Amino acid sequence: MRLIVVVGARPNFIKVGPLMPALAEAGIDAAIAHTGQHYDASMSDVFFRDLSLPEPTWFLGIGSGTHAVQTGKAMIALEELFDAERPDAVLVVGDVNSTLAGALAAAKLHIPVVHLEAGLRSGDMSMPEEVNRLVADQLSAMHLTTCAEADENLVAEGVERARIHFVGNIMAESVLRNLARIEDRAPCRDSYALEPGSYVLATVHRPENTDHPERLAAIAEAFLGCGHQVLFPVHPRTRPLLAEAGLSDAGNGAGDIRLVDPVGYLDMLALQRDAVAIVTDSGGVQEEACMVGTPCVTVRRNTERGITVEVGANRLASAETDSVLAALTEALGSGGGWSAPERWDRDVSARVVAALQGGIIPLKGYV
Ligand code: UD1
Ligand code: UDP
């Protein structure tokens, strides 16, 4: 089987980390097409290095832009590539614009689409990711899901059960495999002079928080008032918006915010493991917090990762100072001890391989 694996943005690289070696071991001829949606060394190269990923066979260099510009450029480049290569299937991951572009370009060429992390739904159509998920899933021939709820979401949208494979969460497999490699790694101490168990780790990059200065300012105020140092690796979309929200690196001392550049995957895992709590609006970080045993607060109106709330690892807060502080107090008092969701284990990539080897049912009309 010849498979093109489409990636473009930071969380995509991590999802294919455990997948590429498993595909190679199974004799599946899989090659990476990197759209170039994320391109800074700290948003792309570092993940290929940290995860020992094979170099992309194709780098399409599409870069940043509005949704239509970015998705359109990626579709044009991917269509040309798929048409020339004619793979047996195209595998897309997650919910970014590159995922949507890959699914659309392949479907128009009648190439079966396999969607890894299918079926997640926030129910919030103002999220670009929700649009991407809905469309990618409608166009996919095989749906690989992280939780039983995702299966039910797909069935409710008319996807046949035979196309759905509950493989588990590949982000969890990546955490489990890589935590074992970084037992001695302590970037909190070595790079940021923070003791393990003494700081809150924060990431904020969703437009619903970053594009409203008053919301970003309210979140920052919660960080300043939380009684812990807050280590905040800043996503490039958030960086230029910080000043408008009144956020600047406040220096050292209890209750201060440390703004730092995005960190690599292995450092990020270690920082999550060693934090006293995590405040985030990231999809992947909610899942990783659940796996490393650190209580999480998600500053969003909703989450498609509801299972992390169900097991007791995560709770929602609105982008208001009191709400974030109340959720953080609850998280700090929660004591941990939850169990990982079903099939968030080391065998996810093996289940993906088994599903692919079982055969992809073409969509109606494909010959
Ligand atoms: C994208 C995804 C989002 C995901 C996030 C992961 C979409 C619609 N959104 O959001 O779901 O959670 O990636 O990180 O696909 N930029 C740089 N350097 C880079 C990349 C981006 O400076 O290497 C800046 C540019 O100013 C760019 C902005 O970040 O305009 C936003 O990048 P973009 O890829 O459009 O969306 P993200 O916010 O990163
Ligand atoms: N991540 C990282 N360095 C950072 C911030 C995040 O390695 O500075 C990792 C994080 O551990 C997770 C992934 O990036 O594996 C999540 O990506 P992101 O939050 O950008 O996107 P989302 O998951 O929200 O789509």
Side-chain angles (χ1 to χ4, degrees), residues 175-190 196 266-267 269-271 273-274 346:
V175 170
L176 295 172
R177 291 191 183 281
N178 286 293
L179 269 186
R181 293 171 60 203
I182 57 160
E183 274 168 24
D184 297 332
R185 200 169 176 125
C188 62
R189 198 170 43 222
D190 300 340
L266 295 176
D267 278 349
L269 268 192
L271 289 172
R273 178 197 62 202
D274 294 341
R346 296 173 72 98

Side-chain angles (χ1 to χ4, degrees), residues 47-65:
F47 300 101
F48 285 79
R49 240 188 351 265
D50 274 3
L51 295 160
S52 304
L53 274 168
E55 283 292 307
T57 306
W58 304 278
F59 182 78
L60 306 174
I62 61 142
S64 305

Side-chain angles (χ1 to χ4, degrees), residues 17 34 61 82 84 87 162 178 289 296-297 299 305 310 324:
H34 184 332
F82 297 161
N178 286 293
C296 184
V297 172
V299 188
R305 272 87 175 174
E310 273 167 43
V324 176

Side-chain angles (χ1 to χ4, degrees), residues 9-12 14-15 38 42-43 46-47 50 95-96 117 129 133 171 174-175 202-203 205-206 232-235 260-269 271-272 280-288 300 304-305:
R10 178 164 71 184
N12 296 167
I14 293 150
K15 284 166 198 159
H38 285 175
S42 63
M43 294 298 286
V46 66
F47 300 101
D50 274 3
D95 55 18
V96 303
E117 199 188 271
E129 294 82 5
R133 292 178 196 122
M171 292 290 270
S174 184
V175 170
T203 77
H205 76 277
R206 294 262 162 243
F232 183 172
V234 183
H235 189 287
V260 300
D261 286 336
V263 300
Y265 177 65
L266 295 176
D267 278 349
M268 186 64 183
L269 268 192
L271 289 172
Q272 291 184 75
T280 192
D281 56 11
S282 158
V285 173
Q286 291 175 61
E287 298 175 332
E288 290 168 347
R300 278 183 41 192
E304 60 292 326
R305 272 87 175 174

